[in-house]
Amino acid sequence: ARLRRKTDDLVFLGLQEVPQKKRDQVDQAFPGYQIYHDKSSRLTNAFVLYNKLQLTIKTTQGELPIPSGKERRFVTSLYFPDLNLSVANTHILGGRFDDQQWYVYPDIRNKQIREILALVHPSTTFTVLMGDFNADNK
């Protein structure tokens, strides 16, 4: 990110499952960057954004649908009206601890993706989805 900052006007990083202590370290490690966290209290998804052009940013956050008893999942979306660009960062159901859920809840990923896309600004021409979109290990 520091190297890109020297040549680019807009740099954004998507971070996954960041604990609170690491969030504080990220805030300190990137002076001059804007940090956007979702509402999670335990493990958050975050954007680290360098915005040299001082573009207007509209943020939206939401909670994804999950099966009962599973870890809450959130999404943060940034919209840049000047570029007509939306960027969303999330972590959907699945992964090394949830692979068995892949078959138990076949529709949950589709619901989560629909929720993510619903947060993206409606006039967006370009959308970048970032995050952990877990896939079946088999």
Side-chain angles (χ1 to χ4, degrees), residues 48-65:
V48 178
L49 176 71
Y50 175 66
N51 184 6
K52 181 178 178 180
L53 300 176
Q54 300 299 307
L55 298 169
T56 300
I57 302 167
K58 297 179 181 180
T59 63
T60 309
Q61 296 181 338
E63 188 169 350
L64 300 179

Side-chain angles (χ1 to χ4, degrees), residues 32-74:
Y33 284 68
Q34 296 162 284
I35 312 292
Y36 298 90
H37 302 291
D38 61 36
K39 299 174 186 174
S40 173
S41 60
R42 195 171 82 75
L43 296 175
T44 189
N45 303 308
F47 279 109
V48 178
L49 176 71
Y50 175 66
N51 184 6
K52 181 178 178 180
L53 300 176
Q54 300 299 307
L55 298 169
T56 300
I57 302 167
K58 297 179 181 180
T59 63
T60 309
Q61 296 181 338
E63 188 169 350
L64 300 179
I66 56 167
S68 173
K70 299 309 279 178
E71 181 90 22
R72 295 169 69 192
R73 307 285 176 134
F74 295 89

Side-chain angles (χ1 to χ4, degrees), residues 47-111:
F47 279 109
V48 178
L49 176 71
Y50 175 66
N51 184 6
K52 181 178 178 180
L53 300 176
Q54 300 299 307
L55 298 169
T56 300
I57 302 167
K58 297 179 181 180
T59 63
T60 309
Q61 296 181 338
E63 188 169 350
L64 300 179
I66 56 167
S68 173
K70 299 309 279 178
E71 181 90 22
R72 295 169 69 192
R73 307 285 176 134
F74 295 89
V75 59
T76 300
S77 178
L78 306 180
Y79 175 61
F80 301 86
D82 301 325
L83 303 174
N84 204 15
L85 168 71
S86 287
V87 182
N89 186 28
T90 192
H91 182 248
I92 65 173
L93 183 69
R96 62 184 167 171
F97 301 116
D98 289 329
D99 280 338
Q100 67 277 9
Q101 304 305 316
W102 178 272
Y103 297 105
V104 176
Y105 300 102
D107 63 332
I108 198 71
R109 283 189 211 278
N110 289 334
K111 288 179 183 176

Side-chain angles (χ1 to χ4, degrees), residues 1 4-6 11-12 18 20 23 25 29 44 48 59 66-67 73 78 80 83 86 102 108 111-112 120 122 128-129:
R4 298 303 315 182
R5 182 176 168 171
K6 291 180 182 179
V11 178
F12 52 92
V18 181
Q20 179 62 46
R23 277 184 257 179
Q25 291 173 347
T44 189
V48 178
T59 63
I66 56 167
R73 307 285 176 134
L78 306 180
F80 301 86
L83 303 174
S86 287
W102 178 272
I108 198 71
K111 288 179 183 176
Q112 290 179 333
V120 171
V128 177
L129 297 179

